[in-house]
Amino acid sequence: MKVNFFATCLCDTVKAEVAKKSVELLEQLGCEIIFPEKQGCCGQPSLNSGYIEGSKPAMKNLIVAFEENDHLIVTPAGSCAASIKRYPEYLADEPEWAARAQKVADRLLELTQFIVNKLGVENVGARLKGRAVYHPSCSLIRKLGVREEPLRLLANVEGLEMLPIKNQETCCGFGGTFSVKMSEISGEMVKEKVHHICEVEPEYLIGADISCLMNIGGRMTREGRPVKVMHIVDVLMSR
């Protein structure tokens, strides 16, 4: 299967290994990767701040980039995927662009969603020994409806014990620009999240959204917590 890969800004600037491992995993699962070079930022930071008009050039650029073919688009970031899914709404006053945005949005899938629901794979042959907590990001479970797919993949990682925690699906407090605009509230939210995670004494914190992992991981580092933070693709590529 040929698929387009949407790297996202965070992968491009902060977590290049997540993008690299995502491509390697998809190739191992039999996919041929296409990387439209015109792709750029999806506009999520400015969209989250309410600058819809100012975000339109970025949105239109991304639409054009992924109109090069009609293959599915896969990304390892639920928050960016969720933003793109709302493009038709943001471009509603430009019907032609809204229609083009809808076609792109309909082809876009988050990585675990694609692997489980499109490829029909739940065991990728990963092995990682230890105790772990999975953080279900708001973008995945609330905006995309991706709840079970990451858990199914993690359940098949040999040697990995998944630990439930109190208020598992509570927001970590990042929320894009929310963590900047409402830093005190955000700080208390991530403090509570870290408390619940560390109560069960895991070796790993796993998530499918880089931004949430950076937020929770940053707090754990400041508290001196000995928990390794891993994007789910890091786990799925462990052998």
Side-chain angles (χ1 to χ4, degrees), residues 76 78 110-117 121-124 133-137 139-141 144-157 160 162 169 206-209 230-233 235-236:
E110 183 270 336
L111 180 65
T112 65
Q113 185 182 32
F114 172 74
I115 293 172
V116 174
N117 298 337
V121 175
E122 294 188 7
N123 189 338
V124 300
V133 167
Y134 171 70
H135 170 66
S137 73
S139 293
L140 260 72
I141 64 173
L144 296 176
V146 177
R147 176 176 271 102
E148 296 300 322
E149 292 88 340
L151 296 174
R152 290 180 189 174
L153 290 165
L154 292 172
N156 285 292
V157 175
L160 191 63
M162 301 305 300
E169 294 190 353
I206 303 167
D209 253 316
M230 304 179 74
H231 188 278
I232 192 168
V233 78
V235 178
L236 299 179

Side-chain angles (χ1 to χ4, degrees), residues 36-49:
E37 295 186 3
K38 292 179 182 178
Q39 66 177 278
C41 180
C42 68
Q44 182 190 166
S46 54
L47 288 169
N48 285 347
S49 297

Side-chain angles (χ1 to χ4, degrees), residues 5-11 18 22 42 44 47-48 62 73-87 90 105 108-114 134-147 149-150 174-176 207-213 231-233:
F5 185 74
F6 174 41
T8 79
C9 296
L10 281 177
C11 280
V18 169
S22 295
C42 68
Q44 182 190 166
L47 288 169
N48 285 347
L62 200 73
I73 306 161
V74 181
T75 182
S79 57
C80 293
S83 290
I84 295 170
K85 291 289 188 181
R86 293 189 66 185
Y87 276 12
Y90 296 136
L108 179 66
L109 295 164
E110 183 270 336
L111 180 65
T112 65
Q113 185 182 32
F114 172 74
Y134 171 70
H135 170 66
S137 73
C138 294
S139 293
L140 260 72
I141 64 173
R142 294 181 174 84
K143 296 180 181 179
L144 296 176
V146 177
R147 176 176 271 102
E149 292 88 340
F174 182 71
D209 253 316
I210 295 172
S211 52
C212 295
L213 293 176
H231 188 278
I232 192 168
V233 78

Side-chain angles (χ1 to χ4, degrees), residues 2-17:
K2 291 184 179 181
V3 296
N4 295 288
F5 185 74
F6 174 41
T8 79
C9 296
L10 281 177
C11 280
D12 190 39
T13 60
V14 181
K15 294 289 184 180
E17 282 299 307

Side-chain angles (χ1 to χ4, degrees), residues 190 194 212-224 229:
V190 73
V194 168
C212 295
L213 293 176
M214 290 173 61
N215 186 42
I216 302 171
R219 179 71 196 190
M220 289 198 296
T221 297
R222 291 191 294 275
E223 292 186 9
V229 178

Side-chain angles (χ1 to χ4, degrees), residues 49-110:
S49 297
Y51 298 107
I52 308 302
E53 287 300 317
S55 303
K56 286 185 176 180
M59 290 190 281
K60 291 177 179 179
N61 176 73
L62 200 73
I63 292 168
V64 171
F66 286 107
E67 285 179 329
E68 292 181 2
N69 59 65
D70 59 1
H71 300 301
L72 293 176
I73 306 161
V74 181
T75 182
S79 57
C80 293
S83 290
I84 295 170
K85 291 289 188 181
R86 293 189 66 185
Y87 276 12
E89 174 188 336
Y90 296 136
L91 294 166
D93 59 345
E94 299 179 65
E96 182 183 340
W97 276 106
R100 293 168 68 179
Q102 188 65 60
K103 290 180 180 179
V104 170
D106 288 344
R107 292 158 47 214
L108 179 66
L109 295 164
E110 183 270 336

